[in-house]
Amino acid sequence: MHITRLIAFGCSAAAVALTAGSVQAQEQMQIKIGTEGAYPPFNYITADGELQGFDIDIARALCEEMNAECEFITQDWDGIIPALQAGRFDAIIASMSITEDRKEQVDFTEKYYNTPPAIVVPNDSNITGVTTEDLAGKVIGAQGSTTHFNYAEATYTDSEVRGYPTAEEYKLDMENGRLDAVIDDIIVLQEWLDSDNGACCKVVDTVTPIEEIYGEGIGIAVRQGEDELREKFNEAIQAIRENGTYQEINDKYFSFDVYGG
């Protein structure tokens, strides 16, 4: 009788544990995250094929906070919003600026970082400023379909602005003397300048972002109407800011707080 009771209790406890485990598995969210994989140090693919970067580490921390199982899908920048709308993934975590134009297509979380743009020129350039007059008559490169490209077209009206599919392609043209200047996020540019390939060039200055173009910072995009997912991301961003996880990731990549004011 005693043995029977122990066996019965053991089976009952195992059943409870199995049920609890099944419920937990059912409750775990499955999220597909779209990113570019070509924008170091925020998101990039290493030589051995691993997806890494600040965006990726933040995404993983948010997924852990949300008890979500996340899968990353790389997507060319030009098609990243259409791919989200088509259901290829559930969210974009790819250093996307929160702008009014994009809000007409997707919904955004609160920002998870905010850093300024800058202008880079060749080391022997006579360009000393970042105004319209300073760059008049020059050829300026930027990644197409970005806030940086939009800013360059709106501001440098006396210059030729060339759009590139990726940041790597404008860097290559700059290194080979086919551009007079490029514009991008200061951190992306500094990462390049600190590499062997970036020895060609120097930062002139940062650019004061125009909110109408650059928006409120960098956020996570979800499909319009996906309010529950958006709020879960917002809560997770706040949580990792408060529990120190954000700072740990920040310090892995940067020497200052990229969250911004």
Side-chain angles (χ1 to χ4, degrees):
M1 178 69 74
H2 182 61
I3 293 174
T4 304
R5 281 181 179 174
L6 285 175
I7 292 172
F9 177 78
C11 291
S12 176
V16 169
L18 182 60
T19 302
S22 298
V23 170
Q24 184 177 16
Q26 289 172 358
E27 289 178 349
Q28 189 174 41
M29 298 176 65
Q30 310 288 318
I31 304 174
K32 292 182 179 180
I33 296 173
T35 195
E36 184 185 13
Y39 196 60
F42 294 104
N43 58 80
Y44 59 95
I45 298 172
T46 64
D48 55 1
E50 288 190 19
L51 188 61
Q52 292 186 5
F54 179 77
D55 287 331
I56 309 308
D57 286 0
I58 289 292
R60 288 180 175 136
L62 295 175
C63 290
E64 183 175 350
E65 185 66 34
M66 296 160 61
N67 188 32
E69 182 179 333
C70 292
E71 174 189 352
F72 290 93
I73 298 172
T74 55
Q75 169 70 49
D76 289 345
W77 180 258
D78 284 350
I80 204 164
I81 287 180
L84 172 68
Q85 293 170 325
R88 185 162 187 248
F89 34 79
D90 306 302
I92 298 171
I93 304 183
S95 290
M96 180 171 282
S97 298
I98 305 166
T99 67
E100 292 304 317
D101 285 346
R102 289 178 181 146
K103 284 180 183 178
E104 295 178 3
Q105 304 175 72
V106 298
D107 289 342
F108 282 101
T109 64
E110 301 297 321
K111 71 172 184 179
Y112 66 94
Y113 83 85
N114 192 12
T115 49
I119 295 288
V120 159
V121 300
N123 289 327
D124 60 357
S125 174
N126 59 3
I127 298 171
T128 57
V130 297
T131 67
T132 303
E133 294 74 23
D134 290 322
L135 282 99
K138 306 299 184 182
V139 182
I140 304 170
Q143 185 174 1
S145 302
T146 64
T147 51
H148 307 295
F149 179 81
N150 294 343
Y151 176 87
E153 281 207 314
T155 304
Y156 301 117
T157 50
D158 297 326
S159 307
E160 179 187 344
V161 178
R162 293 180 185 172
Y164 292 81
T166 69
E168 296 308 310
E169 288 169 88
Y170 77 61
K171 292 173 187 175
L172 186 62
D173 264 10
M174 187 71 159
E175 292 159 16
N176 289 309
R178 292 189 282 268
L179 292 171
D180 298 308
V182 295
I183 182 169
D184 208 330
D185 186 283
I186 180 62
I187 293 177
V188 172
L189 293 172
Q190 194 59 59
E191 175 95 351
W192 168 43
L193 297 184
D194 290 342
S195 71
D196 292 339
N197 292 335
C200 65
C201 306
K202 63 184 179 182
V203 173
V204 177
D205 203 352
T206 56
V207 172
T208 301
I210 299 173
E211 187 166 335
E212 289 78 7
I213 294 176
Y214 278 100
E216 308 152 28
I218 303 299
I220 299 168
V222 299
R223 283 183 290 277
Q224 289 183 332
E226 296 281 352
D227 295 337
E228 183 178 353
L229 179 59
R230 178 174 55 82
E231 284 311 309
K232 284 183 180 295
F233 272 122
N234 277 333
E235 291 168 7
I237 292 169
Q238 184 65 28
I240 67 170
R241 287 283 296 165
E242 292 175 354
N243 66 22
T245 302
Y246 184 97
Q247 193 63 48
E248 289 179 12
I249 297 170
N250 183 100
D251 293 349
K252 175 181 173 181
Y253 292 94
F254 315 117
S255 59
F256 62 97
D257 186 359
V258 297
Y259 187 75

